[in-house]
Amino acid sequence: MADPERLWCPSGSAYAPESLVLAVREGLDGPPDYLPAPRPAAEALAELADGVEPRRLLRLASHCVPHCLNRAGDTCTLATRLTATASPRDGSPLPPCHLRPACKWWTQSGPPACRACPQVATRPG
């Protein structure tokens, strides 16, 4: 699925051409229910009710981009903050993930970022 030359952000844009839906949230900002297979975001966006911010209901992934507000050089500062502030869940199973082999958070921070990933709700800011 993922191009090995590009890393993916598991908290990505809804509107990038490559965007994928990884999960659907249980209600606005609820916990994610991971899909058995990623779905193109363009398909899911067409099914959302008018006025619903996609990232409040869908867990989206897109390629990491150099101009992201969460980048400092090659580091994703969101992943760094996430692993520093998330409640420790060492030893718990990793959540299901279609991105893991090419995920920026995984390659940068490993299991702690992966375990905390479902806790993240992406909203425009």
Short mmCIF file of all heavy atoms in Angstrom, two decimals, residues 4-64:
data_model
loop_
_atom_site.label_atom_id
_atom_site.label_comp_id
_atom_site.label_asym_id
_atom_site.label_seq_id
_atom_site.Cartn_x
_atom_site.Cartn_y
_atom_site.Cartn_z
N PRO A 4 7.44 2.89 -0.34
CA PRO A 4 8.51 2.82 0.64
C PRO A 4 9.38 4.08 0.69
O PRO A 4 10.09 4.30 1.65
CB PRO A 4 9.33 1.59 0.22
CG PRO A 4 8.91 1.27 -1.16
CD PRO A 4 7.55 1.86 -1.37
N GLU A 5 9.32 4.91 -0.33
CA GLU A 5 10.10 6.15 -0.35
C GLU A 5 9.40 7.28 0.39
O GLU A 5 10.00 8.32 0.61
CB GLU A 5 10.36 6.58 -1.80
CG GLU A 5 11.16 5.60 -2.60
CD GLU A 5 12.53 5.31 -2.02
OE1 GLU A 5 13.22 6.27 -1.65
OE2 GLU A 5 12.89 4.13 -1.90
N ARG A 6 8.14 7.13 0.74
CA ARG A 6 7.37 8.19 1.40
C ARG A 6 6.82 7.68 2.72
O ARG A 6 6.24 6.61 2.79
CB ARG A 6 6.17 8.60 0.53
CG ARG A 6 6.46 9.02 -0.86
CD ARG A 6 6.80 10.49 -1.10
NE ARG A 6 6.13 11.50 -0.35
CZ ARG A 6 5.21 12.33 -0.81
NH1 ARG A 6 4.78 12.22 -2.04
NH2 ARG A 6 4.72 13.27 -0.05
N LEU A 7 6.96 8.48 3.74
CA LEU A 7 6.37 8.13 5.03
C LEU A 7 4.97 8.73 5.12
O LEU A 7 4.68 9.76 4.54
CB LEU A 7 7.24 8.63 6.18
CG LEU A 7 8.58 7.93 6.33
CD1 LEU A 7 9.38 8.54 7.47
CD2 LEU A 7 8.41 6.44 6.54
N TRP A 8 4.13 8.05 5.87
CA TRP A 8 2.74 8.46 6.03
C TRP A 8 2.53 9.06 7.41
O TRP A 8 3.12 8.62 8.40
CB TRP A 8 1.83 7.25 5.87
CG TRP A 8 1.71 6.78 4.47
CD1 TRP A 8 2.65 6.10 3.75
CD2 TRP A 8 0.60 6.97 3.60
NE1 TRP A 8 2.17 5.86 2.49
CE2 TRP A 8 0.92 6.37 2.36
CE3 TRP A 8 -0.64 7.58 3.75
CZ2 TRP A 8 0.04 6.37 1.31
CZ3 TRP A 8 -1.52 7.57 2.68
CH2 TRP A 8 -1.17 6.97 1.47
N CYS A 9 1.64 10.02 7.49
CA CYS A 9 1.22 10.62 8.75
C CYS A 9 -0.12 10.00 9.13
O CYS A 9 -1.08 10.09 8.36
CB CYS A 9 1.08 12.14 8.60
SG CYS A 9 0.37 12.91 10.06
N PRO A 10 -0.24 9.40 10.32
CA PRO A 10 -1.51 8.80 10.72
C PRO A 10 -2.51 9.82 11.25
O PRO A 10 -3.56 9.46 11.76
CB PRO A 10 -1.09 7.81 11.82
CG PRO A 10 0.11 8.45 12.42
CD PRO A 10 0.82 9.14 11.28
N SER A 11 -2.18 11.08 11.11
CA SER A 11 -3.06 12.16 11.51
C SER A 11 -3.09 13.18 10.37
O SER A 11 -2.88 14.36 10.56
CB SER A 11 -2.54 12.79 12.81
OG SER A 11 -3.44 13.74 13.28
N GLY A 12 -3.34 12.66 9.17
CA GLY A 12 -3.15 13.45 7.96
C GLY A 12 -4.35 14.22 7.46
O GLY A 12 -5.41 14.24 8.07
N SER A 13 -4.14 14.80 6.32
CA SER A 13 -5.13 15.63 5.64
C SER A 13 -6.24 14.78 5.04
O SER A 13 -6.00 13.68 4.54
CB SER A 13 -4.45 16.42 4.53
OG SER A 13 -5.40 16.99 3.66
N ALA A 14 -7.44 15.33 5.05
CA ALA A 14 -8.57 14.65 4.41
C ALA A 14 -8.55 14.86 2.90
O ALA A 14 -9.16 14.08 2.17
CB ALA A 14 -9.88 15.19 4.98
N TYR A 15 -7.83 15.87 2.44
CA TYR A 15 -7.98 16.28 1.05
C TYR A 15 -6.75 16.06 0.17
O TYR A 15 -6.79 16.40 -1.00
CB TYR A 15 -8.40 17.75 1.01
CG TYR A 15 -9.69 17.97 1.75
CD1 TYR A 15 -9.71 18.53 3.01
CD2 TYR A 15 -10.90 17.56 1.20
CE1 TYR A 15 -10.90 18.70 3.71
CE2 TYR A 15 -12.10 17.71 1.89
CZ TYR A 15 -12.08 18.29 3.14
OH TYR A 15 -13.25 18.46 3.82
N ALA A 16 -5.69 15.49 0.68
CA ALA A 16 -4.55 15.16 -0.17
C ALA A 16 -4.99 14.04 -1.12
O ALA A 16 -5.81 13.19 -0.75
CB ALA A 16 -3.37 14.71 0.69
N PRO A 17 -4.46 14.03 -2.33
CA PRO A 17 -4.90 13.02 -3.31
C PRO A 17 -4.74 11.58 -2.85
O PRO A 17 -5.55 10.72 -3.19
CB PRO A 17 -4.04 13.29 -4.55
CG PRO A 17 -3.46 14.64 -4.36
CD PRO A 17 -3.47 14.94 -2.88
N GLU A 18 -3.73 11.31 -2.03
CA GLU A 18 -3.47 9.94 -1.58
C GLU A 18 -4.14 9.60 -0.27
O GLU A 18 -4.01 8.49 0.24
CB GLU A 18 -1.95 9.72 -1.44
CG GLU A 18 -1.34 10.35 -0.20
CD GLU A 18 -1.08 11.85 -0.27
OE1 GLU A 18 -1.34 12.49 -1.31
OE2 GLU A 18 -0.61 12.41 0.74
N SER A 19 -4.89 10.53 0.32
CA SER A 19 -5.46 10.33 1.66
C SER A 19 -6.29 9.06 1.76
O SER A 19 -7.03 8.70 0.85
CB SER A 19 -6.33 11.52 2.04
OG SER A 19 -5.54 12.66 2.23
N LEU A 20 -6.13 8.41 2.91
CA LEU A 20 -6.83 7.17 3.20
C LEU A 20 -7.58 7.30 4.52
O LEU A 20 -7.12 7.97 5.44
CB LEU A 20 -5.84 6.01 3.34
CG LEU A 20 -5.01 5.66 2.12
CD1 LEU A 20 -3.94 4.63 2.50
CD2 LEU A 20 -5.89 5.13 1.01
N VAL A 21 -8.70 6.62 4.62
CA VAL A 21 -9.42 6.49 5.88
C VAL A 21 -8.93 5.20 6.53
O VAL A 21 -9.01 4.13 5.94
CB VAL A 21 -10.95 6.44 5.67
CG1 VAL A 21 -11.66 6.19 6.99
CG2 VAL A 21 -11.44 7.71 5.02
N LEU A 22 -8.42 5.32 7.74
CA LEU A 22 -7.95 4.16 8.50
C LEU A 22 -9.00 3.65 9.46
O LEU A 22 -9.05 2.47 9.76
CB LEU A 22 -6.70 4.53 9.31
CG LEU A 22 -5.51 5.06 8.53
CD1 LEU A 22 -4.40 5.45 9.49
CD2 LEU A 22 -5.03 4.03 7.53
N ALA A 23 -9.84 4.58 9.97
CA ALA A 23 -10.82 4.22 10.98
C ALA A 23 -11.97 5.23 10.94
O ALA A 23 -11.82 6.34 10.44
CB ALA A 23 -10.18 4.22 12.37
N VAL A 24 -13.08 4.79 11.51
CA VAL A 24 -14.23 5.67 11.69
C VAL A 24 -14.42 5.80 13.20
O VAL A 24 -14.37 4.81 13.93
CB VAL A 24 -15.49 5.07 11.03
CG1 VAL A 24 -16.71 5.93 11.31
CG2 VAL A 24 -15.28 4.90 9.53
N ARG A 25 -14.62 7.03 13.64
CA ARG A 25 -14.78 7.27 15.07
C ARG A 25 -16.20 6.93 15.51
O ARG A 25 -17.15 7.09 14.76
CB ARG A 25 -14.47 8.72 15.40
CG ARG A 25 -13.02 9.04 15.16
CD ARG A 25 -12.65 10.40 15.72
NE ARG A 25 -11.25 10.63 15.51
CZ ARG A 25 -10.27 10.06 16.21
NH1 ARG A 25 -10.55 9.25 17.19
NH2 ARG A 25 -9.01 10.30 15.94
N GLU A 26 -16.33 6.50 16.74
CA GLU A 26 -17.64 6.23 17.34
C GLU A 26 -18.20 7.55 17.82
O GLU A 26 -17.96 7.97 18.95
CB GLU A 26 -17.47 5.24 18.49
CG GLU A 26 -16.94 3.89 18.04
CD GLU A 26 -16.66 2.96 19.21
OE1 GLU A 26 -17.19 3.19 20.32
OE2 GLU A 26 -15.88 2.02 19.02
N GLY A 27 -18.91 8.26 16.96
CA GLY A 27 -19.42 9.60 17.27
C GLY A 27 -18.33 10.63 17.05
O GLY A 27 -17.16 10.29 16.86
N LEU A 28 -18.70 11.88 17.07
CA LEU A 28 -17.72 12.94 16.87
C LEU A 28 -16.66 12.87 17.96
O LEU A 28 -16.97 12.87 19.15
CB LEU A 28 -18.39 14.31 16.86
CG LEU A 28 -19.36 14.58 15.71
CD1 LEU A 28 -19.97 15.96 15.84
CD2 LEU A 28 -18.67 14.43 14.36
N ASP A 29 -15.42 12.77 17.56
CA ASP A 29 -14.26 12.72 18.46
C ASP A 29 -14.20 11.47 19.33
O ASP A 29 -13.44 11.43 20.29
CB ASP A 29 -14.21 13.97 19.36
CG ASP A 29 -14.11 15.26 18.57
OD1 ASP A 29 -13.46 15.25 17.51
OD2 ASP A 29 -14.69 16.26 18.99
N GLY A 30 -14.98 10.45 19.01
CA GLY A 30 -14.95 9.22 19.81
C GLY A 30 -13.75 8.36 19.45
O GLY A 30 -12.95 8.69 18.59
N PRO A 31 -13.63 7.21 20.12
CA PRO A 31 -12.50 6.31 19.82
C PRO A 31 -12.64 5.74 18.41
O PRO A 31 -13.75 5.53 17.92
CB PRO A 31 -12.63 5.22 20.88
CG PRO A 31 -14.03 5.28 21.36
CD PRO A 31 -14.50 6.68 21.17
N PRO A 32 -11.52 5.47 17.77
CA PRO A 32 -11.57 4.96 16.41
C PRO A 32 -11.89 3.47 16.34
O PRO A 32 -11.45 2.69 17.18
CB PRO A 32 -10.16 5.23 15.88
CG PRO A 32 -9.30 5.22 17.09
CD PRO A 32 -10.15 5.72 18.22
N ASP A 33 -12.65 3.10 15.35
CA ASP A 33 -12.92 1.71 15.02
C ASP A 33 -12.21 1.47 13.69
O ASP A 33 -12.63 1.97 12.65
CB ASP A 33 -14.43 1.48 14.89
CG ASP A 33 -14.78 0.03 14.63
OD1 ASP A 33 -13.93 -0.85 14.88
OD2 ASP A 33 -15.91 -0.22 14.17
N TYR A 34 -11.09 0.74 13.75
CA TYR A 34 -10.24 0.57 12.57
C TYR A 34 -10.91 -0.30 11.51
O TYR A 34 -11.52 -1.32 11.83
CB TYR A 34 -8.88 0.00 12.96
CG TYR A 34 -8.04 1.03 13.67
CD1 TYR A 34 -8.13 1.21 15.04
CD2 TYR A 34 -7.19 1.87 12.96
CE1 TYR A 34 -7.40 2.18 15.69
CE2 TYR A 34 -6.45 2.84 13.59
CZ TYR A 34 -6.56 3.00 14.96
OH TYR A 34 -5.84 3.97 15.59
N LEU A 35 -10.80 0.12 10.27
CA LEU A 35 -11.37 -0.61 9.15
C LEU A 35 -10.51 -1.83 8.83
O LEU A 35 -9.30 -1.82 9.07
CB LEU A 35 -11.43 0.30 7.91
CG LEU A 35 -12.24 1.59 8.05
CD1 LEU A 35 -12.10 2.43 6.78
CD2 LEU A 35 -13.70 1.27 8.33
N PRO A 36 -11.10 -2.88 8.25
CA PRO A 36 -10.31 -4.05 7.87
C PRO A 36 -9.28 -3.73 6.79
O PRO A 36 -8.24 -4.37 6.70
CB PRO A 36 -11.32 -5.06 7.34
CG PRO A 36 -12.66 -4.49 7.60
CD PRO A 36 -12.52 -3.07 8.02
N ALA A 37 -9.57 -2.71 5.97
CA ALA A 37 -8.64 -2.26 4.93
C ALA A 37 -8.84 -0.75 4.76
O ALA A 37 -9.96 -0.26 4.90
CB ALA A 37 -8.91 -2.97 3.61
N PRO A 38 -7.77 -0.01 4.48
CA PRO A 38 -7.93 1.42 4.27
C PRO A 38 -8.85 1.70 3.09
O PRO A 38 -8.96 0.88 2.17
CB PRO A 38 -6.52 1.92 3.95
CG PRO A 38 -5.61 0.80 4.28
CD PRO A 38 -6.40 -0.45 4.30
N ARG A 39 -9.48 2.84 3.15
CA ARG A 39 -10.42 3.24 2.10
C ARG A 39 -10.01 4.62 1.58
O ARG A 39 -9.63 5.48 2.38
CB ARG A 39 -11.80 3.31 2.71
CG ARG A 39 -12.89 3.65 1.77
CD ARG A 39 -14.23 3.55 2.47
NE ARG A 39 -15.26 3.96 1.53
CZ ARG A 39 -16.41 4.45 1.88
NH1 ARG A 39 -16.72 4.56 3.15
NH2 ARG A 39 -17.28 4.82 0.98
N PRO A 40 -10.07 4.86 0.27
CA PRO A 40 -9.73 6.19 -0.23
C PRO A 40 -10.62 7.25 0.44
O PRO A 40 -11.84 7.11 0.53
CB PRO A 40 -10.02 6.11 -1.73
CG PRO A 40 -9.90 4.65 -2.05
CD PRO A 40 -10.40 3.93 -0.82
N ALA A 41 -9.99 8.31 0.92
CA ALA A 41 -10.73 9.36 1.63
C ALA A 41 -11.77 10.02 0.74
O ALA A 41 -12.84 10.37 1.22
CB ALA A 41 -9.75 10.39 2.18
N ALA A 42 -11.48 10.18 -0.53
CA ALA A 42 -12.43 10.85 -1.43
C ALA A 42 -13.78 10.14 -1.42
O ALA A 42 -14.83 10.80 -1.44
CB ALA A 42 -11.87 10.92 -2.84
N GLU A 43 -13.78 8.82 -1.34
CA GLU A 43 -15.04 8.06 -1.29
C GLU A 43 -15.79 8.35 0.01
O GLU A 43 -17.00 8.56 0.00
CB GLU A 43 -14.77 6.55 -1.38
CG GLU A 43 -14.25 6.08 -2.70
CD GLU A 43 -13.90 4.59 -2.67
OE1 GLU A 43 -14.18 3.91 -1.65
OE2 GLU A 43 -13.33 4.11 -3.67
N ALA A 44 -15.09 8.33 1.11
CA ALA A 44 -15.72 8.54 2.42
C ALA A 44 -16.21 9.98 2.58
O ALA A 44 -17.27 10.21 3.18
CB ALA A 44 -14.75 8.19 3.53
N LEU A 45 -15.47 10.94 2.06
CA LEU A 45 -15.87 12.34 2.19
C LEU A 45 -17.21 12.60 1.53
O LEU A 45 -18.01 13.39 2.02
CB LEU A 45 -14.80 13.27 1.60
CG LEU A 45 -13.46 13.28 2.32
CD1 LEU A 45 -12.45 14.13 1.57
CD2 LEU A 45 -13.61 13.74 3.75
N ALA A 46 -17.46 11.90 0.44
CA ALA A 46 -18.73 12.08 -0.28
C ALA A 46 -19.92 11.60 0.54
O ALA A 46 -21.05 12.01 0.28
CB ALA A 46 -18.67 11.33 -1.61
N GLU A 47 -19.68 10.75 1.53
CA GLU A 47 -20.77 10.20 2.35
C GLU A 47 -21.01 10.96 3.65
O GLU A 47 -21.98 10.67 4.35
CB GLU A 47 -20.45 8.74 2.67
CG GLU A 47 -20.38 7.86 1.44
CD GLU A 47 -19.91 6.45 1.74
OE1 GLU A 47 -19.80 6.09 2.93
OE2 GLU A 47 -19.65 5.71 0.79
N LEU A 48 -20.15 11.93 3.97
CA LEU A 48 -20.31 12.68 5.22
C LEU A 48 -21.44 13.70 5.09
O LEU A 48 -21.66 14.28 4.03
CB LEU A 48 -19.03 13.43 5.57
CG LEU A 48 -17.86 12.60 6.08
CD1 LEU A 48 -16.68 13.51 6.40
CD2 LEU A 48 -18.24 11.79 7.29
N ALA A 49 -22.13 13.93 6.18
CA ALA A 49 -23.18 14.94 6.22
C ALA A 49 -22.56 16.33 6.05
O ALA A 49 -21.43 16.57 6.48
CB ALA A 49 -23.94 14.87 7.54
N ASP A 50 -23.28 17.23 5.43
CA ASP A 50 -22.81 18.60 5.26
C ASP A 50 -22.48 19.21 6.62
O ASP A 50 -23.20 19.02 7.60
CB ASP A 50 -23.87 19.46 4.57
CG ASP A 50 -24.02 19.12 3.08
OD1 ASP A 50 -23.10 18.52 2.52
OD2 ASP A 50 -25.07 19.47 2.52
N GLY A 51 -21.38 19.93 6.66
CA GLY A 51 -20.98 20.63 7.87
C GLY A 51 -20.15 19.82 8.85
O GLY A 51 -19.69 20.36 9.85
N VAL A 52 -19.96 18.53 8.61
CA VAL A 52 -19.16 17.71 9.51
C VAL A 52 -17.70 17.81 9.09
O VAL A 52 -17.36 17.52 7.95
CB VAL A 52 -19.61 16.23 9.50
CG1 VAL A 52 -18.66 15.36 10.30
CG2 VAL A 52 -21.03 16.10 10.02
N GLU A 53 -16.86 18.26 10.00
CA GLU A 53 -15.42 18.30 9.75
C GLU A 53 -14.93 16.86 9.66
O GLU A 53 -15.10 16.08 10.63
CB GLU A 53 -14.71 19.06 10.88
CG GLU A 53 -13.23 18.81 11.02
CD GLU A 53 -12.40 19.11 9.78
OE1 GLU A 53 -12.63 20.14 9.12
OE2 GLU A 53 -11.53 18.27 9.46
N PRO A 54 -14.38 16.43 8.52
CA PRO A 54 -14.01 15.02 8.32
C PRO A 54 -13.13 14.43 9.41
O PRO A 54 -13.32 13.28 9.82
CB PRO A 54 -13.27 15.03 6.98
CG PRO A 54 -13.75 16.24 6.28
CD PRO A 54 -14.07 17.25 7.34
N ARG A 55 -12.19 15.21 9.92
CA ARG A 55 -11.25 14.66 10.89
C ARG A 55 -11.88 14.43 12.26
O ARG A 55 -11.28 13.79 13.11
CB ARG A 55 -10.02 15.54 10.98
CG ARG A 55 -9.23 15.50 9.66
CD ARG A 55 -8.04 16.38 9.67
NE ARG A 55 -8.47 17.77 9.65
CZ ARG A 55 -7.65 18.80 9.57
NH1 ARG A 55 -6.36 18.61 9.52
NH2 ARG A 55 -8.12 20.03 9.55
N ARG A 56 -13.09 14.91 12.48
CA ARG A 56 -13.79 14.62 13.75
C ARG A 56 -14.45 13.25 13.72
O ARG A 56 -14.76 12.69 14.77
CB ARG A 56 -14.81 15.70 14.05
CG ARG A 56 -14.13 17.03 14.35
CD ARG A 56 -15.01 18.01 15.00
NE ARG A 56 -15.51 17.53 16.27
CZ ARG A 56 -16.58 18.04 16.87
NH1 ARG A 56 -17.25 19.02 16.30
NH2 ARG A 56 -17.00 17.57 18.01
N LEU A 57 -14.69 12.72 12.54
CA LEU A 57 -15.37 11.44 12.41
C LEU A 57 -14.49 10.36 11.80
O LEU A 57 -14.70 9.17 12.05
CB LEU A 57 -16.63 11.62 11.55
CG LEU A 57 -17.66 10.53 11.60
CD1 LEU A 57 -18.13 10.26 13.02
CD2 LEU A 57 -18.85 10.89 10.73
N LEU A 58 -13.49 10.75 11.03
CA LEU A 58 -12.64 9.79 10.33
C LEU A 58 -11.20 9.90 10.81
O LEU A 58 -10.71 11.00 11.06
CB LEU A 58 -12.67 10.07 8.81
CG LEU A 58 -14.03 10.08 8.15
CD1 LEU A 58 -13.90 10.53 6.70
CD2 LEU A 58 -14.70 8.72 8.24
N ARG A 59 -10.52 8.78 10.91
CA ARG A 59 -9.07 8.78 11.16
C ARG A 59 -8.42 8.67 9.80
O ARG A 59 -8.59 7.69 9.09
CB ARG A 59 -8.68 7.61 12.06
CG ARG A 59 -7.23 7.68 12.51
CD ARG A 59 -6.98 9.00 13.27
NE ARG A 59 -5.61 9.21 13.57
CZ ARG A 59 -5.03 8.78 14.68
NH1 ARG A 59 -5.69 8.11 15.57
NH2 ARG A 59 -3.76 9.04 14.87
N LEU A 60 -7.68 9.71 9.44
CA LEU A 60 -7.13 9.84 8.09
C LEU A 60 -5.61 9.77 8.09
O LEU A 60 -4.96 10.15 9.07
CB LEU A 60 -7.57 11.17 7.49
CG LEU A 60 -9.08 11.28 7.32
CD1 LEU A 60 -9.55 12.71 7.53
CD2 LEU A 60 -9.48 10.77 5.95
N ALA A 61 -5.08 9.32 6.99
CA ALA A 61 -3.63 9.29 6.79
C ALA A 61 -3.32 9.89 5.43
O ALA A 61 -4.09 9.73 4.48
CB ALA A 61 -3.11 7.86 6.86
N SER A 62 -2.21 10.58 5.38
CA SER A 62 -1.69 11.09 4.11
C SER A 62 -0.17 11.16 4.24
O SER A 62 0.38 10.94 5.32
CB SER A 62 -2.29 12.47 3.77
OG SER A 62 -1.98 13.41 4.77
N HIS A 63 0.49 11.46 3.15
CA HIS A 63 1.95 11.55 3.21
C HIS A 63 2.39 12.69 4.12
O HIS A 63 1.75 13.74 4.17
CB HIS A 63 2.54 11.77 1.81
CG HIS A 63 2.45 10.58 0.94
ND1 HIS A 63 2.11 10.65 -0.38
CD2 HIS A 63 2.65 9.26 1.19
CE1 HIS A 63 2.11 9.45 -0.91
NE2 HIS A 63 2.43 8.59 0.03
N CYS A 64 3.48 12.47 4.84
CA CYS A 64 4.09 13.56 5.60
C CYS A 64 4.61 14.59 4.60
O CYS A 64 5.11 14.22 3.53
CB CYS A 64 5.28 13.04 6.42
SG CYS A 64 4.80 12.00 7.79
#
